[in-house]
């Protein structure tokens, strides 16, 4: 190994390619951690980086990453061997992405605004540097030469050379200087627009004022802020103060309002307000679509959708649309049946007085129908899922499948960003430490509002005897009770935890030669497969009985209750699948062609909803103005449906018979998880379960939908 290719403390991301560049940093979401665990008791910086002992440390962090990368660029220009070129390129990525990804995690989770501001500045500086790397002809020429020298490289090194070359070309290496400057400018604008979109959601979540307070159910009082208004008495100069409540209509609050509020007018007000905020994002989204379209055209693509989909299994928007339309046709009749069932149920509840079914009725009546059919009580279900026991359940699952164990380990002084953060070490009795996992699971003000996996550091081979261990973080927003030991999850939250844990295992169990391929750094329409697969484990009684125990009595969750939960989940499964198909169709359409001023995003959403569902579109609403997947998964939302189909096939063919067996776990690990993105995705899938998981169509690959349709009882529609 060349002296210029040294161990770094960097880490890499996973999942989505960076929106502002195509230097292969982040194909999913990620952060980073140190090359080795900090010494017990020894002070360190954020995520184990010595530089990050203070917010200003981000500045030196950037400086050193750029300095080290410059050394490696100089080394590559000296025409070393092809193997050394790929290794040096991987270290450049490892170094620069450690900065960008740690900054990304910090921006999303750190409570200290000074840290957040410095992380923002670091990310902007790195974006500028990515442009230099992405347009460096010395690096490009070296990578092209290495790709042609197949006989001098390992299989994985040749694959890395190929994808690096493709990424350079997708970044516009072939363009003139002025066009490259325009690409850089557009990428910066895209990054800024995405940030503005997210900030607007936080600033303007919308709200409704409810008078009198009796119109709101007691179980929503914790979401409400007491307010007062003055009502002047008729014919009098005096006035009377009236009590009321203000309810925010952010996505989580809106979901609760629509599910639990019996007052039709309150639900309607909340639905309309919640789906028409923030209005400012309509303009931001228009600019984002136009800017991405301009970027794609400069790079030689007809649309941003074509640019985004080309590297994936699907290979073209036409293949994606054909898959979505096929799935839509299969599910339509069942979804229509469910729609009519909900409408009939509402009619009976309204004493046969004709009231049409409205969009704000769905959550309220479907919840009531599930409770009626299966006698379910959400609080009773949650009593079996204390968060601490769910974490123990994940540990048991890993032990059963892979023979590995998670151990709680202390955080070094300065390593954590919040007192709630836990750190786990994954260890195997024969292989030793496999990686590290941070858990940041409770909601708090200013924190990233959803749930996400951040691949802090990608694994990579450092030498014949040393491996850079992966480090990941799971960020969730579960109820922030003052008594952390008393936090209990509803079953949907349990599924979310298992989903994100699937991503974490993909990263932790990965053993690739290059961090370029570590863990979730796979083609986008494969990345969600492990996470979707692990959702099955969250609903299987054989798994749940190992950890789901009543918080006070210790009683194991009854199998009858689990069957009722499964039955309730399937009651409106076609409606939910149809909704996901609609989201994917909207995403493809918005980025599939340049929208004219006469046909804005609201028109697209309304037309597609009417075409592909039986539900009304409410004029004036613009749900798309808060759909953040349009930022991170632009023209890629369909990948969730790809993953849903792949996971259904893997579950049926490999896991369903004995989901906890070591044989099942060994197959998942050795044939899929440990390879990350270092094998072609088609080979990964077929090696794991054999034929019958993919289909070829129009030059691309789509999932076989048989297992999913069988699971949902839709086989007659195939």
């Amino acid at each position: 190994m060349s002296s210029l290719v040294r161990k770094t403390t960097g880490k890499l991301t996973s999942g989505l390619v960076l929106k502002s560049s195509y230097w292969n940093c982040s194909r999913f979401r990620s952060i980073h951690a140190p090359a080795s665990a900090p010494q017990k008791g020894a002070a360190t910086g954020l995520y184990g980086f010595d530089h990050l002992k203070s917010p200003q440390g981000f500045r030196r962090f950037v400086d050193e990453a750029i300095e080290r990368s410059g050394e490696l660029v100089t080394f590559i220009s000296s025409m070393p061997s092809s193997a050394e070129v790929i290794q040096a390129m991987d270290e450049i990525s490892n170094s620069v992405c450690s900065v960008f990804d740690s900054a990304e995690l910090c921006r999303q989770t750190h409570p200290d605004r000074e840290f957040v501001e410095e992380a923002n500045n670091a990310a902007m500086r790195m974006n500028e540097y990515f442009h230099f790397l992405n347009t460096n002809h010395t690096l490009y020429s070296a990578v092209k030469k290495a790709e042609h020298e197949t006989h001098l490289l390992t299989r994985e090194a040749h694959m890395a050379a190929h994808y690096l070359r493709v990424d350079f070309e997708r970044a516009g290496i072939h363009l003139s200087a002025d066009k490259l400057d325009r690409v850089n400018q557009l990428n910066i604008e895209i990054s800024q627009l995405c940030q503005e979109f997210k900030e607007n959601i936080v600033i303007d979540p919308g709200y409704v004022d409810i008078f009198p307070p009796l119109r709101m159910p007691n179980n929503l009082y914790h979401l409400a802020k007491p307010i007062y208004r003055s009502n002047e008495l008729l014919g009098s100069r005096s006035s009377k103060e009236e009590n009321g409540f203000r309810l925010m209509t952010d996505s989580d609050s809106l979901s609760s309002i629509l599910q639990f509020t019996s007052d039709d007018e309150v639900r309607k007000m909340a639905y309309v307000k919640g789906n028409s905020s923030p209005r400012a994002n309509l303009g931001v989204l228009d600019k984002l679509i136009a800017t991405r379209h301009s970027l794609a055209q400069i790079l030689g693509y007809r649309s941003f959708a074509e640019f985004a989909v080309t590297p994936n299994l699907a290979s073209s928007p036409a293949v994606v649309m054909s898959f979505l339309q096929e799935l839509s046709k299969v599910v339509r009749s069942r979804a229509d049946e469910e729609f009519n069932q909900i409408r009939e149920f509402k009619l009976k509840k309204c004493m046969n007085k004709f009231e049409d079914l409205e969009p704000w009725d769905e959550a309220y009546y479907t919840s009531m129908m599930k409770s009626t059919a299966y006698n379910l009580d959400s609080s009773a279900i949650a009593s079996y899922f204390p968060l601490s026991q769910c974490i123990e359940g994940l540990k048991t699952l890993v032990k059963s499948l892979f023979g590995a164990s998670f151990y709680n380990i202390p955080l070094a002084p300065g390593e954590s960003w919040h007192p709630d953060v836990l750190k786990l070490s994954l260890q195997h009795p024969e292989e030793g430490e496999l990686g590290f996992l941070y858990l940041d699971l409770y909601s708090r003000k200013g924190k990233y509002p959803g749930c996400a996996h951040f691949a802090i550091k990608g694994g990579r081979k450092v030498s014949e005897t040393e491996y850079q261990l992966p480090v990941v973080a799971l960020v969730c927003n579960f109820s922030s009770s003052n008594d952390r030991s008393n936090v209990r999850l509803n079953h949907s939250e349990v599924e979310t935890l298992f989903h994100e844990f699937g991503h974490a295992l993909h990263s932790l169990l990965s053993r690739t030669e290059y961090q370029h391929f570590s863990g979730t750094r796979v083609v986008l329409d494969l990345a969600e497969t492990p996470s979707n697969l692990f959702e099955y484990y969250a609903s299987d009684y054989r798994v749940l009985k190992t950890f789901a125990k009543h918080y006070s009595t210790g009683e194991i969750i009854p199998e009858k209750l689990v069957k009722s939960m499964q039955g309730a989940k399937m009651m409106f499964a076609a409606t939910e699948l149809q909704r996901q198909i609609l989201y994917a169709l909207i995403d493809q359409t918005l980025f599939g062609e340049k929208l004219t001023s006469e046909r804005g995003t609201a028109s697209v959403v309304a037309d597609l909803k009417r075409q592909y569902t039986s539900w009304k579109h409410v004029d004036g609403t613009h749900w798309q103005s808060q759909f953040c997947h349009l930022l991170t998964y632009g023209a890629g939302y369909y990948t969730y449906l790809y993953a849903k189909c792949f996971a259904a096939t893997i579950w049926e063919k490999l896991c369903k018979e004995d989901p906890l067996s070591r044989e099942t776990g060994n197959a998942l690990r050795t044939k899929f998880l440990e390879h990350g993105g270092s094998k072609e995705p088609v080979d990964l899938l077929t090696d794991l379960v054999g034929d019958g998981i993919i289909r070829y169509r129009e030059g691309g690959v789509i999932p076989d939908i048989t297992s999913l349709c069988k699971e949902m009882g839709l086989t007659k529609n195939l």
Side-chain angles (χ1 to χ4, degrees), residues 119-139:
N120 279 328
N121 292 335
M124 286 189 288
R125 286 186 63 194
M126 292 315 302
N127 272 330
E128 294 175 2
Y129 189 64
F130 290 147
H131 179 65
F132 163 76
L133 292 173
N134 290 334
T135 57
N136 189 300
H137 283 270
T138 297
L139 299 180

Side-chain angles (χ1 to χ4, degrees), residues 387-401:
L387 178 55
S388 59
Q389 287 178 199
C390 292
I391 295 172
E392 292 305 311
L394 293 172
K395 293 180 180 179
T396 300
L397 178 58
V398 169
K399 180 75 171 179
S400 297
L401 285 173

Side-chain angles (χ1 to χ4, degrees), residues 476-479 488-498:
C476 295
N477 274 274
F478 300 133
S479 175
R488 297 189 284 274
L489 307 184
N490 60 48
H491 189 249
S492 176
E493 291 172 325
V494 175
E495 287 183 319
T496 297
L497 180 62
F498 273 65

